[in-house]
């Protein structure tokens, strides 16, 4: 019997109901009881199995990015970058790779409205011939903090109060008042683009600095950027209230309905590249995730296009069980020493093993679509049929060998063990520059949002003063306007 042919599936065309073990169920309506009205018998195995499966239908939601929607499609290379990377899926224009993409809100719970002010996740899984590549990012090109040590604290501050289970501004602004590097992220979050109209009309970014390696072994720093062909559109507060009040799943429905109608969402992929030898030429650390690279010096270069042309078949299988990890890369793409990225390399895979189990990469949505082989055996929920006798390496009874060597960055690492901050913090320059690109009415809305946030009655005079000091250092007029409206003097 072919063990792969008869997998339990709603697609299996059995003419009658069965138990999970395949036994026919002759009555799927009534419990087994003692007499017509008597107590239910524990020996009704089908009843117990049915209830036990139902009790376990929901898995723990993600700590972050719990609310999301997915779709499938393809990525097509449009511009040759083979001189930068030996990645097979980027080998030449015209090459197409199947993908699945998950969009999400970040902080709020699985059933929360999709109209809340929050970053949006933008995660792409490429099913390449050399294994999967997960490009896990957000709709903003920067992040709140630069060191993963603070990530749990940051999420706790952004999440609801553990006593009341209510998300409160005073907790958010208290925490970030200790981290002025967050200002740049707040120029995005409190800007008009803080609430995307839907998932189709938002940018995407890999956020982190990655490394491309070509066949000669030369490394190049890279940042990835997704730009929607239909443009970026957002909701202002009044629009968000109206849309969210009518449909708290508006973005999920928009994505599904658009694809079903043949209006396929599309994004162009661009990259910025930098020679690692030039990273000291800037007044900021290029590996600092709270910074953007200046496009006038490091311009966006086109690479390809992403088209989503198929809705997922099952929300649980291809959204809830869909798992992304920045650690999953392919030959020709590697990490950098970005401190946040280095932390996520461990954390994301670890959380998937906790949430889905140690064999989460066997689930169809997460499994590679190319041939693969290893000796990672057993463990909870291992459903891969295997009949080999050799589960070790090397062996003269098994001809499995090492793969062909591919290059990885060969930078020499040296230095003493120490815990320290990035030296070129430069926390205020880029936030100020971004604020000054806003039109006057957009600046006014940004100021109004900050006045409202800082007016929370539990925010102390000290915290208000600190924030006004920060914004004054980013842009003097911005700080003055906030101070005037809040009747607070900056602490500098």
């Amino acid at each position: 019997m072919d063990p792969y042919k008869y997998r339990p599936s709603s697609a299996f065309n059995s003419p009658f109901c069965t138990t999970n073990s395949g036994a026919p169920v002759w009555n799927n309506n009534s419990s087994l009881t003692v007499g017509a009205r008597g107590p239910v018998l524990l020996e009704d195995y089908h009843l117990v199995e049915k209830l036990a499966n139902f009790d376990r239908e929901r898995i723990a939601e993600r700590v972050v990015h719990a609310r999301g929607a997915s779709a499938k499609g393809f990525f097509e290379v449009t511009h040759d970058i083979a001189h930068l990377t030996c990645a097979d899926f980027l080998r030449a224009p015209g090459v197409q790779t199947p993908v699945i993409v998950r969009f999400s809100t970040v902080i709020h719970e699985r059933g929360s409205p999709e109209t809340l002010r929050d970053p949006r996740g933008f995660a792409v899984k490429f099913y390449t011939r050399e294994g999967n590549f997960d490009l896990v990012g957000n709709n903003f090109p920067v992040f709140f903090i630069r060191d993963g040590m603070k990530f749990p604290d940051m999420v706790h501050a952004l999440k609801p109060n553990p006593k009341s289970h209510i998300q409160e501004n005073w907790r958010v602004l208290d925490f970030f008042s200790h981290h002025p590097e967050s200002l740049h992220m707040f120029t995005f979050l409190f800007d008009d683009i803080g609430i995307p109209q839907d998932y189709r009309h938002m940018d995407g970014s890999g956020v982190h600095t990655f490394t491309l390696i070509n066949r000669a072994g030369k490394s190049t720093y890279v940042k990835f950027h997704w730009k929607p062909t239909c443009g970026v559109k957002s909701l202002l507060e009044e629009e968000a209230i109206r849309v969210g009040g009518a449909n708290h799943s508006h973005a999920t429905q928009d994505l599904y309905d658009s694809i079903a109608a043949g209006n396929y969402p599309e994004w162009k992929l661009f990259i910025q590249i930098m020679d690692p030898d030039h990273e000291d030429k800037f007044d900021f650390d290029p590996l600092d995730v709270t910074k953007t690279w200046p496009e006038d010096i490091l311009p966006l270069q086109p690479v390809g296009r992403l088209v989503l042309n198929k809705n997922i078949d099952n929300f649980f299988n291809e959204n809830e069980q869909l798992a992304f990890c920045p650690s999953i890369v392919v030959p020709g793409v590697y990490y950098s020493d970005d401190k946040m990225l280095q932390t996520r390399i461990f954390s994301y895979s670890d959380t998937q093993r906790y949430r889905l189990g140690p064999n989460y990469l066997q689930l169809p949505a997460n499994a590679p679509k190319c041939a693969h082989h290893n000796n990672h055996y057993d463990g909870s929920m291992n459903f891969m049929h295997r009949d080999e006798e050799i589960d070790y390496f090397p062996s003269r009874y098994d001809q499995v060998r090492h793969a062909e060597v591919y290059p990885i960055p060969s930078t020499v690492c040296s230095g003493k063990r120490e815990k320290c901050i990035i030296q070129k913090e430069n926390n205020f320059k880029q936030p100020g520059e971004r604020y000054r690109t806003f039109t006057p009415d957009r600046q006014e809305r940004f100021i109004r949002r900050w006045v409202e946030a800082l007016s929370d009655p539990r925010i102390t005079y000290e915290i208000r003063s600190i924030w006004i000091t920060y914004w004054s250092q980013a842009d003097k007029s911005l700080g003055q306007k906030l101070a005037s409206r809040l009747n607070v003097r900056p602490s500098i």
Side-chain angles (χ1 to χ4, degrees), residues 142-374:
V142 293
F143 199 58
F144 291 104
I145 52 174
R146 56 170 66 101
D147 193 317
M149 178 68 81
K150 300 306 300 177
F151 189 82
D153 299 292
M154 181 201 76
V155 173
H156 287 171
L158 289 165
K159 286 284 190 179
N161 185 323
K163 181 176 180 179
S164 64
H165 200 67
I166 298 172
Q167 190 180 31
E168 296 169 317
N169 276 333
W170 68 268
R171 290 164 41 83
V172 176
L173 298 182
D174 172 33
F175 173 77
F176 286 113
S177 71
H178 299 274
H179 301 284
E181 71 262 33
S182 66
L183 260 67
H184 200 186
M185 182 67 163
F186 278 115
T187 65
F188 289 88
L189 184 60
F190 275 41
D191 182 21
D192 289 351
I193 63 173
I195 308 176
Q197 176 177 293
D198 48 59
Y199 295 132
R200 291 184 298 124
H201 291 90
M202 70 180 194
D203 287 335
S205 173
V207 182
H208 298 285
T209 300
F210 291 86
T211 306
L212 297 178
I213 311 100
N214 65 16
R215 295 194 180 280
K218 177 172 174 51
S219 297
T220 304
Y221 285 154
V222 63
K223 280 185 176 287
F224 297 100
H225 302 274
W226 300 105
K227 301 293 182 183
T229 58
C230 58
V232 173
K233 296 182 181 179
S234 305
L235 299 174
L236 297 181
E237 283 80 353
E238 297 78 11
E239 296 173 299
I241 292 171
R242 175 177 53 80
V243 171
N247 181 0
H248 80 295
S249 299
H250 82 284
T252 296
Q253 183 168 357
D254 174 83
L255 180 67
Y256 190 94
D257 289 350
S258 296
I259 295 173
N263 181 21
Y264 302 142
E266 182 174 338
W267 286 261
K268 303 293 186 185
L269 177 63
F270 296 86
I271 59 172
Q272 288 177 287
I273 59 173
M274 179 191 297
D275 189 325
D277 293 337
H278 298 165
E279 62 178 305
D280 292 331
K281 294 184 176 181
F282 299 88
D283 61 0
F284 64 92
D285 188 330
L287 304 187
D288 181 350
V289 77
T290 69
K291 302 293 187 292
T292 55
W293 291 358
E295 293 182 16
D296 56 337
I297 301 174
L298 304 168
L300 296 176
Q301 303 180 32
V303 175
R305 67 189 187 111
L306 169 70
V307 179
L308 300 180
N309 60 2
K310 188 178 188 304
N311 279 311
I312 56 177
D313 299 310
N314 181 274
F315 188 84
F316 183 79
N317 291 342
E318 296 178 298
N319 185 76
E320 288 305 297
Q321 292 194 129
L322 183 59
F324 294 89
C325 307
S327 51
I328 296 179
V329 295
V330 291
V333 182
Y334 206 71
Y335 323 115
S336 75
D337 290 338
D338 173 341
K339 294 179 76 171
M340 272 299 302
L341 175 59
Q342 290 281 319
T343 311
R344 293 175 78 204
I345 289 170
F346 162 75
S347 179
Y348 273 59
S349 296
D350 187 54
T351 197
Q352 305 298 3
R353 294 185 188 102
Y354 165 74
R355 199 174 73 89
L356 298 173
N359 291 300
Y360 74 95
L361 288 175
Q362 290 183 17
L363 293 167
N366 304 322
K369 308 311 176 192
C370 60
H372 57 287
H373 177 94
N374 57 51

Side-chain angles (χ1 to χ4, degrees), residues 452-472:
E452 181 181 352
L454 289 167
S455 296
D456 187 305
R458 290 196 62 175
I459 292 178
T460 64
Y461 184 94
E462 177 191 16
I463 292 175
R464 288 193 186 99
S465 179
I466 289 171
W467 278 105
I468 291 172
T469 299
Y470 287 164
W471 286 119
S472 297

Side-chain angles (χ1 to χ4, degrees), residues 395-441:
S395 168
R396 290 186 173 85
Y397 295 94
D398 187 345
Q399 298 307 306
V400 172
R401 54 184 171 77
H402 286 119
E404 183 179 328
V405 175
Y406 58 85
I408 61 172
S410 56
T411 307
V412 176
C413 298
S414 64
K416 61 183 181 181
R417 291 189 181 95
E418 55 185 331
K419 292 196 171 194
C420 57
I421 60 173
I422 290 176
Q423 292 182 341
K424 295 181 181 178
E425 287 193 86
N426 206 347
N427 294 321
F428 307 107
K429 180 181 178 182
Q430 289 193 2
E433 290 173 343
R434 177 169 166 77
Y435 170 78
R436 288 187 289 275
T437 67
F438 296 167
T439 59
D441 60 322

